[in-house]
Amino acid sequence: MSIIQSIDVKKWYGDFQALKGITMDVAEGEVLVICGPSGSGKSTFIRCINRLEQHQDGQIIVDGIELTNDLKNIEAIRSEVGMVFQSFNLFPHLTVLQNITLAPIWVRKKSKSEAEEKAMELLERVGIPEQADKFPGQLSGGQQQRVAIARALAMEPKIMLFDEPTSALDPEMIKEVLDVMKELAQSGMTMIVVTHEMGFAKEVADRVMLFDEGQLVEQNTPEEFFNNPESDRTKLFLSQIL
Amino acid sequence: MVDNVNIQESPPEVQFAGVNRWLRENLFSSTGSAILTFVSIGALIGLFRSIIGFFISPEREWTAITYNLRLYMVQAYPESDFIRVWITIGLVMGLLGLTWGFNSVNEKSSLKSTGTTLMKVFSSLFLLVLIAPTSVVIDKVEGTVVDVFQQELRIYLLAVLAGLILVSYLIRTKLASQEVSKDYLNIGYVGLLVVSIWLIKVPTVTFDSSNVRIEPDPLLPLAASTKNPWTALYLLLVVTFFIGRYLNSKNLTSFKRILPVSWLLTPLIVVTWIYRKPDFTLSQITTVDLPVILGFSAIGYFVINYLNSEKLMQYQRYFVYGSLIIAVFVFSLPVLRQLKLLFFLLWILISVAPTIANSKESARSLFIVWSVAITILILLMRGGTSETLIVVPGSSIYGGFALTWVLAFFGIAISFPFGVMLALGRTSSLPIIRIICTAIIELVRSVPFITWLFFGSVMLTFFLPAGVEFDEVVRAVVVTSIFSAAYLAENVRGGLQSISKGQFEAADAVGLSTLQRISLIVMPQALRAVIPPIVSQVISLFKDTSLVAIVGLFDLLYIGSKVIPNQSQGANFLGTIQENILFCAIFYWIFTYSFARRSMKIEKRLGLGER
């Protein structure tokens, strides 16, 4: 049973076509890694999945709901899909705890104490419970990204989207974020990860995809993808990145 | 390869080592800077000597101010109605005390900093007394010199101040480790002010039985006729402070929500109680107002508790549109104005109830807030729309500082939400709203304030339906707030632009609605970023209120520059313009400067989360 279905999705920025008909689907519990050179449309595509970008043609169906301009559908899907950004995007005027409890309280209508209890659990899970009362500006990049993951998880999403979560981090901090993501993958979460961390892809992914120039070039299991790439484009990409 | 080098932690180098070093580094670091230091110290001493000389010269007629303080404050407001002003101020004081006490975090402050502050104040006074001139030249042509400051008095004052400096030094050194609550300290400071209006005596004009001025002027306390009410208000503040703290310790969440609502409604109480003396009748209240209040409380209860349920949630938007249509329909009917307003409020309640009342507890507090708010609002509208019983000779009930204050306060209070809405409208993605807001802002900004004041005074009546007529003060308030809102909107828009796209996306990604995104994520950050320009705008609005004199209103500055210097009867203050203008300047300065200081503190506190 696929939880995300994408059928011939196309998107233009002005005259530039960013997505040239993406057809794919993601099964429940699957961990999918998308890689590709910059400008290949991989970020645009996962941002279409929770409607931060609008696709102009084709269909995206998330958890049985098709993404259209209907606000109700969009809000329903956004509370099912958590997203982690490259630049963290924590709310700087709120403490770590408030960052995490905000959406559960206002969108899920949870009581404050319930939301805080859950938030502390999540902070425990990402390994920084002692930072709960600090402001994002007082944390390191890796810690901020872990808070961002906890913030997304607080909505109890069915799907997690990661948009280059480690690209803005120091090498030392990448590991702490990847560890959290690995743990999350092992817990059975459906994940789509746009990343250049090939180590992560080899170890955790169920499937790896390569995007280039707005097209889905190749998809395969990590063993096949890295060891026996089919297309020349993939071979070139792998030779450059590894 | 570096082996284990034993690195020892060393204490930071001491930055401040003695007065000598400080002087050398900051004032006499080179020959040039030493010369500059001496020259500027000399210039400062000369400047202060002449300023002090101006103040204590026998030519100055300071009684023009002490005698006219009431004129300055309330102009012609009838004395028999003063009690209502005091009650209103009392209400504000009480609310202030409750809020202060309720939000008190019991911060401690060491006596060392208090001692330092006191020492600074007393030392400055000591220096001023020391450099004050003994005599001043009265007639510049003839060179007449008059002794104004006896040597004995100077020595006496210096001795007293030296004693006070010593006391504060002792506080600073001996009691440095003692800690006191900051709240108590502030209560103490305000208390000192209250004590000083009993103790400090100034010359005033008094007349004997045959209506002849008594010379020399007898000394009376600074606030001779108002010291009793001020003292009572101070006691009220202290008492409500402790009540507020007690309530806080009881952890009453509903009280937390009632406080802001009460603050929002206070201006309306001020309007009906000072501005109007309403013609209340008991029968109107029991037969019309009470049923309306009860009815709408019941509707509010229903909305909050049932309309909000899971099952009806999906129809929420229909309720919102439906209630808006009903509100507009009721508005066009010839019914009570109260009803018209209530239906609009009901529409707002239906729109926000699902967002605010998300648990049983918050539903209950929302209901309390709703009932309290509509009760007060209905009674106020009853008061505001009935005939006023205050009789004032002249055009306006307000004058003097009361007018300045009303214009500034309402100008800010109305322009703030209006300006924020204009800013949001101008950045909106809906083209019609964006064009309307841009047009309003650009139109208002491109015409001078004085022109708008004339417009409000002369032409506004043409644009209003027949029979509707506003008082001159109301018109000035409307013009001031619209003018200020346009500028505020641009400031806020600057703040909105400083919010990165990522913040919007993050808010969307966690599923916040547009309204929640604006109120929880965007606005708090945008407003924080533009505190400095908003503060300077508030300050300039406060000062710009003096322009209303041009449409015939008697504000503080007009009284000081035109009214008092022309008083020829009784005490005769003809030509006392210098004293009066100086007084006005100091008065404005005290308010604007304390406001600026306050906002600096707020800025610091809000800045905590950033960076």
Side-chain angles (χ1 to χ4, degrees), chain A residues 23-217:
Chain A
T23 303
M24 53 99 73
D25 56 349
V26 182
E28 204 162 348
E30 190 177 9
V31 177
L32 173 69
V33 167
I34 302 179
C35 53
S38 58
S40 60
K42 54 193 192 305
S43 277
T44 307
F45 178 67
I46 75 161
R47 288 157 65 88
C48 281
I49 293 175
N50 67 350
R51 199 83 174 169
L52 288 180
E53 305 279 357
Q54 289 182 26
H55 58 280
Q56 283 128 339
D57 198 10
Q59 269 184 313
I60 298 178
I61 299 160
V62 179
D63 199 20
I65 307 171
E66 184 179 353
L67 277 177
T68 56
N69 273 328
D70 189 346
L71 268 175
K72 274 271 172 279
N73 280 353
I74 297 173
E75 276 171 24
I77 284 171
R78 277 177 182 162
S79 54
E80 298 297 330
V81 181
M83 175 127 187
V84 176
F85 298 90
Q86 179 180 358
S87 49
F88 327 137
N89 291 345
L90 293 176
F91 305 128
H93 61 299
L94 302 176
T95 63
V96 166
L97 195 64
Q98 287 167 336
N99 260 285
I100 300 173
T101 55
L102 185 84
I105 290 175
W106 290 94
V107 182
R108 286 264 192 262
K109 316 276 182 203
K110 278 190 184 174
S111 77
K112 199 178 164 202
S113 52
E114 196 187 340
E116 278 178 356
E117 205 176 301
K118 173 84 184 164
M120 286 313 294
E121 238 170 68
L122 287 168
L123 280 176
E124 202 84 53
R125 190 166 163 193
V126 299
I128 39 173
E130 72 283 359
Q131 312 285 2
D133 294 321
K134 287 196 181 163
F135 286 96
Q138 296 165 309
L139 304 184
S140 74
Q143 289 172 331
Q144 289 194 44
Q145 194 61 297
R146 285 188 277 165
V147 173
I149 293 173
R151 178 176 72 179
L153 289 176
M155 289 293 283
E156 291 161 357
K158 291 185 178 163
I159 304 159
M160 285 284 283
L161 306 175
F162 293 83
D163 187 5
E164 306 201 24
T166 54
S167 305
L169 295 176
D170 287 342
E172 286 176 43
M173 296 170 182
I174 290 176
K175 188 179 172 301
E176 62 188 46
V177 173
L178 288 182
D179 285 345
V180 170
M181 288 167 63
K182 276 176 205 163
E183 188 267 332
L184 194 58
Q186 280 148 16
S187 74
M189 174 70 75
T190 312
M191 288 163 70
I192 302 184
V193 186
V194 170
T195 186
H196 296 295
E197 294 297 325
M198 291 304 133
F200 176 80
K202 275 181 198 163
E203 193 179 334
V204 183
D206 296 317
R207 191 150 48 119
V208 184
M209 281 184 182
L210 179 79
F211 269 48
D212 189 38
E213 292 179 349
Q215 276 166 323
L216 176 55
V217 177

Side-chain angles (χ1 to χ4, degrees), chain B residues 159-236:
Chain B
V160 170
L161 284 170
L164 287 172
I165 294 173
L166 187 69
V167 169
S168 33
Y169 179 74
L170 287 178
I171 291 176
R172 213 193 109 136
T173 47
K174 299 284 174 207
L175 302 172
S177 53
Q178 293 279 339
E179 293 218 319
V180 276
S181 154
K182 262 194 177 162
D183 296 323
Y184 294 152
L185 218 54
N186 285 332
I187 289 178
Y189 283 142
V190 181
L192 275 182
L193 277 182
V194 175
V195 170
S196 72
I197 62 173
W198 285 81
L199 291 185
I200 297 178
K201 291 189 174 166
V202 290
T204 43
V205 178
T206 332
F207 301 96
D208 65 9
S209 51
S210 53
N211 224 9
V212 176
R213 184 172 167 182
I214 297 171
E215 303 262 16
D217 300 313
L219 294 178
L220 279 178
L222 190 57
S225 61
T226 54
K227 55 188 195 313
N228 288 324
W230 279 124
T231 312
L233 286 177
Y234 172 67
L235 294 177
L236 181 71

